[in-house]
Amino acid sequence: MSEKELGKKLDRCLADGVVKLGTGLGLGIVFSVLFFKRRTWPITLFSGAGLGMAYANCQHDLRSHYLLHTSEQVSLGFIGPLIGFAQIFSF
Amino acid sequence: MLRVCLRGVKATAQKSSGRIRLTNVQQCREYTTGESSGASRVVAAGLLTVTGGIGGTIIYAKWDHKFRAAVEKNVPYSEWLLGLALGPVSQDSGLPIRKPMESIQPPSMLEKQMRTSKAKSEKKLKETTEYGAQDSGPTSPQPAQNIQAEASAEATQIISAISEVQSIPAPCDTEPTAAAATVFQDTKSAGTAEPLRERSAEEVAARLAQQNQDEKDIITSLSARLDDSLASSAKATLQAIGAQEAALQAITQHTHKLKEAMEAEGPSEEKSTQWKDLEAALADRTTSVNDAKTALVKANEALDSLKSVIDKSKGLKITAARPLILAAEENLHKMVVDLDKVVSKVQSAESEAKIVAQYTELVHEAKQQFQREVSSLTPEIQANWKGLTGKLSTDDLNALIAHAHRRIDQLNRELAEQRVREQIHMEAALEQQRAEDQRALDKAVGTAKQHVKEEARLEQERKLAELREVIEAEMRTQLRRQAAAHTDHVRDVLKVQEQELRAEAEQELSSKLLAQETRYRQLTQEQLDDFTLDMNAAYARLKGVEEAIDSHVEAEEEARKAHRLWLSVEALTYTLKTASTESPSMPLEDAAEAVRASCVENDFALALASALPEESLKRGVYSEASLRARFNSLRSLARRVALIDESHNTLYQYFLSYVQAALLFEKQQEVPPTQLRSEDLDPFKLLSYASYCLEHGDLELAAKLVNQLRGEARRVVEDWLIEARLTLETRQVISLLSAYANAVGLGTTQAP
């Protein structure tokens, strides 16, 4: 069912986000404790990074249908990754 | 300062406008007053021009009739007007134009009549040529008057009677006939002064025959007269010639005898006989000379009469008599010549005889003289001195001798004198002779000249007659040639006409034949067609009956099949209904199989049965209610992702579209318009339209509307769309099948 797909995607996003956030947080805490003298900024950094990654993943997942895959390209092999990057990084 | 200028300008403008208005009013007044007078003036001028034009036209038409005719032709009611004004078109002015036309007519008519009556008389060539030529000569150049027009008409008729050849005007031999003809003409023309008409061939022939007859009569009488006079003159001339010859003979005889008598010295008896003969001869001669003279006179008389007759006959001027006249003239001339010759001969003989007579006289005189002398000397001695020897004495003899000597002396003296005077005498004699010779010569020359002249004239006349004959012969040949050419032409024309007529007739015949044939063929064809038609009709009816029976059987078979089909289709439709709210219907495979089984021969139904989609066969289809329910849940989702498409698909866009969905409110159900405009393609609108359609049971339209979604919303509703399509397809096929089955059933069902 195509209508359920979006829900599934969002679930995955959420899960992924939670995971990444947690992981980032953890890592941040670890790093902050270990290497950065219990400063706050590594925690926020890593959690932010984790959140960011989760965001990017979620976005990529959501727009994966609209991306042209390199296998579908006929010629000019360098254009594929270029377009892919452009698509990824558009806002 | 500006204000002052402005004020000034305004003032001037006002003043000028005031003035203009004033002048305008004034002018208007003038115009109004002048206009009336001006208008009347214009009207008057116009009327004047028109009347002047009409009057001028009428006057000119009165003067020039051609102009009048032109005007009457071109302007509609002008003839009425001109008739009123001038009276009807007058006729007298037509004459001066026509007279010169008439004068031109006869020559043209000459030619026309020549051509028209070419075939009239080919026989009367000779006489008509002369006659016509005679007439055409003097009369053709004067066409003006009526009588002479008649004459020229005569000429044309005659010329036309011959051919187109212009005849050479022959010399005036045919005057009497021409005179008679002109008299005839005058009487005729006096009687009928009407335009020229052509005489019939019979009249012309009759007249020509009449002319011929007259001429012949005249010629016969003439020839008779000529012959008579010729005969008489010939006789007289011959007589005269005979007499002259006889005279000549007598003269020569006499002269000869005289000469003999002079020279002969025979005895006296012979001498006397000689003298007697001489006398007889002389008498003979005188009688014959007299006879000759009388005969000559008679001959001359006869010749004169002949001459007069010839002249008279010449005066008649008939060509046919010409040779006769010519012959008579020649004869006359010959006779005259002979006569003259003989006369001259006689004259020469006479002159000779005169000489001889003179000589005889002289001799005789001398003898007489001598005799006298002798007798004077010797008076006794008489007559013939030759027989005197022996009768004379010596004295007589001596006297005689002396006389003789004296005589001899005398004679010698005379001789000497004569010798002296010889020359003079000779000259005198010569003169005399010359004079006589001259006279004779003159006479001879005169007669010879006359003869030569006469001969030359005769020669000329003969030559003329010959020439005329030659010309006549030539003319005859030419005319014959013309006639031949004419006959040839006529023959050719006739041939051509015959051919044409024949061709026409044949064509007519063939066309009629063809028509008949076609009609016959048509009739037979019609009959055949009718028969065939009848046969075909009967056959068709038979066939129809057979087919009806077969179709009955077939129809029953069909009915059974249709029934079966209908039942199976009903079963199929029922299986559709087994779909519940959530689960699809039963797989339609069996029912479809049943349908297929029940319509083995029916391609249409078979095709339809096999057109059922695979999914529906295997899995079954969802019901409309389930789809409706599903749509309702879909709707909110689609609303939430309304902004997302290929270009707008970041997470932020997702957030925005969620916010939009939360904040935007649209009608739950909206009536879809009959035609979608661009603003109806908004997803919210489309969803409300589709919802309305679904609520009202129109799945098809709802699917169509949902199909218009684009982007992520489209992806979300994709599955629903597929299901809806499937359901729609299946339903369509089944409805078609059932409709078909119903139709077949209805078709095969027999009405009670």
Side-chain angles (χ1 to χ4, degrees), chain B residues 71-89:
Chain B
V71 164
E72 280 178 5
K73 200 167 70 161
N74 290 322
V75 180
Y77 289 100
S78 56
E79 37 196 70
W80 168 77
L81 184 71
L82 286 167
L84 264 180
L86 302 171
V89 180

Side-chain angles (χ1 to χ4, degrees), chain B residues 569-621:
Chain B
V569 166
E570 279 298 302
L572 189 61
T573 319
Y574 189 71
T575 52
L576 264 185
K577 293 199 179 91
T578 56
S580 63
T581 325
E582 290 306 325
S583 60
S585 64
M586 286 185 25
L588 302 171
E589 184 118 23
D590 300 331
E593 195 59 46
V595 166
R596 263 197 289 268
S598 66
C599 63
V600 182
E601 302 93 30
N602 203 338
D603 287 335
F604 180 61
L606 209 60
L608 278 177
S610 43
L612 281 166
E614 276 298 315
E615 247 342 282
S616 69
L617 289 173
K618 295 268 170 6
R619 195 204 59 187
V621 287

Side-chain angles (χ1 to χ4, degrees), chain B residues 476-496:
Chain B
R476 231 172 276 139
T477 49
Q478 292 293 345
L479 288 169
R480 233 177 282 133
R481 219 179 280 165
Q482 279 286 333
H486 175 69
T487 47
D488 280 341
H489 173 71
V490 163
R491 208 179 296 138
D492 287 340
V493 164
L494 277 171
K495 224 182 277 176
V496 164

Side-chain angles (χ1 to χ4, degrees), chain B residues 35-218:
Chain B
E35 234 172 49
S36 57
S37 68
S40 63
R41 250 184 262 155
V42 163
V43 163
L47 274 171
L48 201 69
T49 322
V50 164
T51 40
I54 290 172
T57 320
I58 290 171
I59 289 167
Y60 189 62
K62 183 170 185 179
W63 183 60
D64 184 7
H65 285 260
K66 273 195 190 156
F67 173 72
R68 181 179 174 157
V71 164
E72 280 178 5
K73 200 167 70 161
N74 290 322
V75 180
Y77 289 100
S78 56
E79 37 196 70
W80 168 77
L81 184 71
L82 286 167
L84 264 180
L86 302 171
V89 180
S90 51
Q91 292 291 331
D92 57 353
S93 58
L95 254 182
I97 308 167
R98 281 178 206 151
K99 252 197 193 149
M101 294 295 291
E102 260 184 8
S103 65
I104 303 166
Q105 257 184 1
S108 60
M109 255 208 245
L110 264 166
E111 294 173 39
K112 258 191 253 167
Q113 284 186 332
M114 265 196 274
R115 275 190 220 102
T116 49
S117 56
K118 193 175 127 166
K120 280 257 164 140
S121 59
E122 295 182 359
K123 310 169 234 166
K124 331 273 185 232
L125 295 174
K126 194 166 88 170
E127 292 84 353
T128 54
T129 318
E130 296 163 13
Y131 176 59
Q134 159 60 25
D135 264 354
S136 71
T139 59
S140 51
Q142 304 168 33
Q145 304 200 12
N146 226 1
I147 292 171
Q148 278 167 338
E150 274 282 342
S152 65
E154 295 281 333
T156 62
Q157 282 156 16
I158 300 305
I159 292 173
S160 71
I162 314 159
S163 66
E164 291 155 358
V165 173
Q166 276 290 343
S167 53
I168 309 160
C172 306
D173 282 348
T174 57
E175 245 179 43
T177 47
T182 46
V183 163
F184 183 60
Q185 273 178 37
D186 284 337
T187 52
K188 187 170 180 266
S189 64
T192 61
E194 46 178 280
L196 309 169
R197 61 171 177 82
E198 204 167 300
R199 289 216 201 95
S200 56
E202 296 89 24
E203 237 185 286
V204 168
R207 283 192 66 221
L208 289 168
Q210 183 69 26
Q211 281 167 21
N212 275 359
Q213 198 56 38
D214 296 336
E215 273 185 20
K216 268 203 196 93
D217 294 336
I218 291 169

Side-chain angles (χ1 to χ4, degrees), chain A residues 27-78:
Chain A
L27 264 179
I29 290 167
V30 166
F31 269 85
S32 149
V33 162
L34 285 179
F35 301 116
F36 295 108
K37 297 169 186 127
R38 292 217 182 151
R39 298 249 180 100
T40 341
W41 64 266
I43 302 166
T44 45
L45 175 72
F46 279 92
S47 55
L51 204 64
M53 281 192 283
Y55 183 89
N57 279 348
C58 186
Q59 188 167 271
H60 184 260
D61 193 18
L62 281 171
R63 54 148 81 147
S64 64
H65 177 75
Y66 298 106
L67 288 177
L68 291 165
H69 295 285
T70 48
S71 60
E72 289 160 19
Q73 281 298 308
V74 179
S75 59
L76 296 169
F78 71 91

Side-chain angles (χ1 to χ4, degrees), chain B residues 87 196 215 227 277 304 314 333 393 410 417 456 468 473 477 554 588 609 612 658 670 724 736:
Chain B
L196 309 169
E215 273 185 20
D227 286 335
D277 283 335
D304 283 336
K314 264 203 236 169
H333 177 69
S393 58
Q410 192 201 355
E417 230 180 274
R468 202 173 290 127
T477 49
E554 270 183 33
L588 302 171
L612 281 166
Y658 266 100
E670 204 178 326
L736 274 171

